[in-house]
C-alpha cells in the first residue's frame, strides 16, 4: 500500500486532533509549536495534527498540519476554507 503525503497528513490530523487543546509537541527531536502566525495577514493557526516519517528504522522528518481552527475529520480538513500551513522539519540529510 502506497501512502501519499495527503493521506499521512489527514490521518495524523484526525488521529491527533482530540477535543482537548493541542500543546507544543516534541516529536523526533523536533518541536512543533501549538500556534503559528500566517503572514502577511497575521492569521493565527493551531496545530491540528503531526506525524513522524521513518524509513528502515531511521527517523527522516516530522510534519505538522496547522489550520485556523481544529478539525476532527479528513473531510473537515479538506473542506476548510481558512488558512493552512504544513511544517516539515527534516531530521536527516536526504540529498
Amino acid at each position: 500500500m502506497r501512502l501519499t503525503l495527503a493521506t499521512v497528513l489527514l490521518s495524523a490530523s484526525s488521529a491527533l486532533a482530540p477535543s482537548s487543546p493541542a500543546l507544543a509537541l516534541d516529536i523526533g527531536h523536533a518541536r512543533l509549536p501549538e500556534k503559528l502566525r500566517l503572514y502577511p495577514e497575521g492569521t493565527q493557526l493551531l496545530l491540528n495534527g503531526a506525524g513522524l516519517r521513518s524509513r528502515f528504522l531511521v527517523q527522516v522528518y516530522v510534519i505538522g498540519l496547522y489550520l485556523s481552527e481544529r478539525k476532527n475529520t479528513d473531510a473537515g480538513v479538506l473542506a476548510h476554507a481558512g488558512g493552512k500551513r504544513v511544517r516539515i522539519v527534516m531530521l536527516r540529510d536526504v540529498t
Side-chain angles (χ1 to χ4, degrees):
M1 180 171 116
R2 185 171 172 224
L3 295 178
T4 63
L5 181 60
T7 305
V8 171
L9 279 176
L10 294 175
S11 298
S13 67
S14 295
L16 296 175
S19 59
S20 62
L23 302 173
L25 182 63
D26 289 323
I27 181 171
H29 306 290
R31 175 169 281 219
L32 297 175
E34 176 185 358
K35 299 175 185 175
L36 290 179
R37 287 262 178 216
L38 183 61
Y39 290 100
E41 61 270 8
T43 303
Q44 179 172 292
L45 301 178
L46 305 171
L47 181 62
N48 199 70
L52 172 66
R53 173 71 165 131
S54 297
R55 189 74 174 160
F56 303 115
L57 302 175
V58 176
Q59 297 177 350
V60 181
Y61 62 82
V62 172
I63 190 165
L65 174 64
Y66 290 86
L67 302 172
S68 57
E69 59 185 59
R70 290 189 178 91
K71 299 293 181 182
N72 292 328
T73 65
D74 297 348
V77 171
L78 291 174
H80 181 65
K84 299 174 187 165
R85 175 171 281 181
V86 173
R87 183 171 186 205
I88 300 173
V89 179
M90 298 304 294
L91 303 175
R92 298 277 184 248
D93 184 13
V94 294
T95 58

